């Protein structure tokens, strides 16, 4: 049934249609991921996409888990071929990504749905529809709040989406994806710069280190624990460094004080945030350069590490990101729940390493400081491009702004 639902999507151009999601996919082309990740990484295992791997409209592969091939064989229905639209249906629902061709053979974990879009619709356009506020409202209005927010496939099928002609779908997707491609390029440049710094750090301070003298993190960094109550300043707009914000692209979320009910830590300039929650999923967040410290706060899951000497900023950041630190913190966790294990902050500041020579630390700072500056500049560009995309998207989706095709 083809219908127009102005109450849900607003007024659209006369030749546009409004279709339920199930009308956009191939018959039998919507399924739910039920493959559970294994307890280890088997040789020859099958990589799977989890909710955590779907970020900013793309699939992040670098921390994929694997399942035994014999187990994955039981769930061939959700095996990926490339080109499918993935939608998260548990936890942070409604996050989308299109499967690239080089991921053919992967599978999906629980909480991810797999849709094969019919040829008369553009998969990129459909994925952008789920960022449109009226569509997001429908998704969340059908979500059930149990242990985690959950969207049943039957409810997902009924979500109503705008469906302009295929040529216009492609034109809209092309405009928005140009901005997203530039954002992705800047993110990848930042990742490359960080990897370069980490490679030099490993060579200078691990492989060539003099291990006769060891010091602890607390010897070269302060533990900042200034508590802030944002709700006492309800009209101020805070930059909130939270765990979800880190997982969603490492961009602090702007929130009014009245909406932040619990106490937070103050974030200060030239500091490094490290999460004490579930260290097997390391979250290390550099805050390089000057920020508005009166309006910058972080979740108490983060610990604020302030280098005593600015030359140690890059050294400490690379150290906290190193696999050895991740392993040591993972071994020190407490708590019985696998999803809520925490490490004592004192363990973090007691971490030890070979004392870096002053001349090497200074040289490393000179070498890498322009990396952090470039990363900061790229983040500013990313914010501008994202704001442009977020401004254009509802206008394009509603037909208020039209593109030639």
């Amino acid at each position: 049934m083809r219908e127009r639902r102005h109450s849900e999507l607003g007024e659209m151009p006369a030749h546009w249609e409004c279709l339920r999601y199930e009308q956009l996919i191939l018959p039998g082309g919507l399924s739910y991921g039920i493959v559970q990740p294994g307890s280890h990484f088997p040789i020859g295992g099958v990589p799977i996409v989890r909710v955590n791997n779907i970020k900013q409209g793309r699939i992040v592969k670098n921390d994929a888990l694997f399942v035994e091939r014999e187990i994955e064989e039981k769930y061939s229905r959700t095996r990926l071929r490339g080109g499918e639209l993935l939608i998260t249906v548990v936890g942070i629902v409604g996050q989308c990504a299109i499967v690239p061709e080089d991921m053919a053979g992967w599978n999906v974990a629980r909480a991810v749905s797999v849709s094969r879009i019919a040829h008369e619709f553009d998969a990129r356009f459909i994925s952008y529809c789920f960022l449109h506020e009226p569509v997001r409202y429908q998704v969340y209005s059908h979500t059930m709040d149990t242990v985690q927010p959950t969207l049943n496939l039957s409810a997902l099928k009924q979500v109503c989406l705008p469906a302009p002609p295929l040529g216009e779908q492609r034109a809209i997707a092309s405009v928005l994806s140009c901005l997203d491609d530039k954002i992705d390029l800047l993110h990848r440049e930042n990742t490359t710069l960080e990897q370069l710094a980490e490679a030099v750090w490993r060579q200078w301070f691990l492989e060539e280190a003099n291990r006769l003298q060891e010091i602890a993190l607390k010897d070269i960094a302060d533990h900042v624990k200034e508590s802030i109550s944002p709700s006492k300043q309800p009209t101020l707009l805070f930059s909130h460094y939270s765990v979800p914000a880190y997982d969603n692209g490492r961009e602090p979320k702007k929130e009014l004080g009245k909406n932040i009910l619990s106490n937070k830590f103050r974030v200060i300039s030239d500091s490094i945030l490290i999460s004490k929650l579930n260290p097997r999923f390391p979250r290390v967040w550099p805050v390089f350069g000057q920020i508005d410290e009166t309006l910058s706060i972080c979740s108490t899951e983060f610990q604020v590490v302030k280098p005593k000497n600015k030359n140690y900023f890059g050294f400490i950041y690379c150290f906290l990101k190193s696999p050895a630190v991740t392993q040591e913190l993972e071994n020190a966790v407490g708590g019985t729940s696998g999803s809520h294990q925490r490490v004592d902050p004192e363990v973090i500041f007691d971490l030890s390493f070979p004392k870096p020579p002053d001349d090497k630390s200074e040289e490393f700072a000179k070498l890498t400081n322009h990396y952090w500056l470039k990363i900061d500049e790229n983040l500013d560009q990313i914010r501008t491009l994202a704001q442009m995309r977020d401004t254009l998207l509802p206008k394009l989706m509603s037909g208020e702004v039209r593109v030639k095709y």
Side-chain angles (χ1 to χ4, degrees):
M1 179 176 66
R2 297 173 182 260
E3 53 190 321
R4 296 179 56 78
R5 294 187 182 178
H6 304 295
S7 61
E8 292 181 355
L9 294 173
E11 190 70 32
M12 296 185 298
H15 67 293
W16 285 26
E17 293 177 306
C18 176
L19 301 179
R20 294 191 304 274
Y21 184 63
E22 65 179 344
Q23 296 173 270
L24 309 175
I25 58 179
L26 296 172
L30 176 61
S31 52
Y32 182 74
I34 53 176
V35 179
Q36 295 288 356
S39 59
H40 61 292
F41 295 79
I43 297 175
V46 178
I48 58 174
V49 180
R50 300 168 293 146
V51 170
N52 289 346
N53 296 116
I54 299 177
K55 298 176 182 179
Q56 302 291 310
R58 285 172 167 75
I59 301 171
V60 179
K61 308 179 194 176
N62 56 9
D63 63 345
L65 296 183
F66 293 73
V67 293
E68 296 281 2
R69 191 165 297 279
E70 292 75 12
I71 296 175
E72 190 273 341
E73 287 286 348
K74 301 176 184 177
Y75 305 106
S76 58
R77 178 176 171 79
T78 54
R79 187 178 297 152
L80 304 179
R81 308 170 191 166
E84 296 93 340
L85 177 63
L86 304 186
I87 305 177
T88 59
V89 292
V90 176
I92 305 176
V93 300
Q95 298 291 307
C96 298
I98 296 173
V99 180
E101 298 297 329
D102 64 0
M103 290 182 65
W106 285 48
N107 212 313
V108 296
R110 182 180 178 275
V112 178
S113 71
V114 181
S115 302
R116 296 184 172 92
I117 305 300
H119 296 301
E120 59 266 33
F121 303 102
D122 186 89
R124 294 181 307 162
F125 173 82
I126 303 305
S127 70
Y128 281 117
C129 285
F130 281 88
L131 294 176
H132 189 32
E133 195 60 36
V135 176
R136 291 180 60 80
Y137 175 80
Q138 292 180 68
V139 168
Y140 276 93
S141 67
H142 289 98
T143 298
M144 299 184 301
D145 285 321
T146 52
V147 178
Q148 295 187 83
T150 302
L151 179 68
N152 289 335
L153 290 191
S154 58
L156 175 59
K157 290 178 179 179
Q158 299 305 309
V159 171
C160 190
L161 304 175
L166 178 59
E168 195 159 358
Q169 291 178 37
R170 288 173 174 165
I172 291 172
S174 178
V175 170
L176 296 173
S177 63
C178 279
L179 294 170
D180 274 335
D181 288 344
K182 177 61 175 176
I183 290 171
D184 184 56
L185 180 64
L186 291 168
H187 276 304
R188 286 191 280 119
E189 183 178 358
N190 284 357
T191 299
T192 299
L193 290 170
E194 288 194 8
Q195 289 173 342
L196 285 171
E198 291 166 22
V200 175
W201 181 87
R202 283 193 300 271
Q203 181 182 351
W204 289 8
F205 301 108
L206 281 186
E207 298 168 10
E208 300 174 1
N210 181 353
R211 301 184 176 275
L212 295 178
Q213 183 180 1
E214 295 234 339
I215 60 173
L217 179 60
K218 62 187 176 186
D219 295 325
I220 62 171
D222 294 321
H223 187 187
V224 181
K225 296 180 286 187
E226 183 182 351
S227 183
I228 301 292
S229 181
S231 60
K232 293 181 179 179
Q233 303 174 81
T235 60
L236 294 184
L237 191 64
F238 288 87
S239 292
H240 186 187
Y241 294 73
S242 65
V243 170
Y246 180 95
D247 292 341
N248 198 35
R250 223 165 71 173
E251 177 67 22
K253 185 179 180 180
K254 298 293 186 180
E255 292 185 83
L256 289 172
K258 65 180 181 181
N259 297 326
I260 307 172
L261 303 181
S262 59
N263 284 0
K264 306 297 177 184
F265 288 142
R266 187 186 299 281
V267 178
I268 59 177
S269 304
D270 293 316
S271 63
I272 299 144
L273 311 181
I274 179 170
S275 173
K276 65 179 183 181
L277 175 68
N278 297 335
R280 69 182 183 278
F281 302 121
R283 298 179 176 95
V284 185
W285 198 339
V287 185
F288 184 76
Q290 295 300 307
I291 61 172
D292 186 348
E293 297 180 0
T294 61
L295 295 174
S296 299
I297 57 174
C298 70
S299 162
T300 52
E301 297 290 3
F302 281 111
Q303 304 304 299
V304 183
V305 181
K306 173 66 175 178
K308 294 180 178 180
N309 183 322
K310 189 174 180 179
N311 284 343
Y312 282 126
F313 178 89
F315 176 91
I316 292 173
Y317 177 58
C318 293
F319 169 68
L320 292 177
K321 283 194 70 181
S322 65
V325 166
T326 300
Q327 186 62 57
E328 189 165 347
L329 295 182
E330 190 174 349
N331 292 338
V333 295
T336 55
S337 170
S339 60
H340 291 89
Q341 292 185 321
R342 292 176 173 84
V343 65
D344 189 322
E346 289 187 9
V347 173
I348 297 174
F349 284 85
D350 283 337
L351 291 166
S352 62
F353 44 85
K355 184 179 186 301
D358 291 339
D359 58 337
K360 276 288 188 183
S361 298
E362 187 173 347
E363 190 178 352
F364 184 72
K366 288 180 180 178
L367 175 67
T368 59
N369 275 357
H370 73 277
Y371 291 179
W372 315 126
L373 287 171
K374 180 60 178 173
I375 289 171
D376 205 41
E377 290 173 4
N378 286 349
L379 289 174
D380 280 341
Q381 287 191 59
I382 288 169
R383 293 184 192 102
T384 301
L385 292 167
Q387 185 177 12
M388 187 184 302
R389 177 202 60 205
D390 294 343
T391 300
L392 273 175
L393 189 143
K395 297 180 182 296
L396 291 169
M397 288 295 172
S398 65
E400 179 183 346
V401 171
R402 305 290 298 280
V403 289
K404 291 183 178 180
Y405 65 98

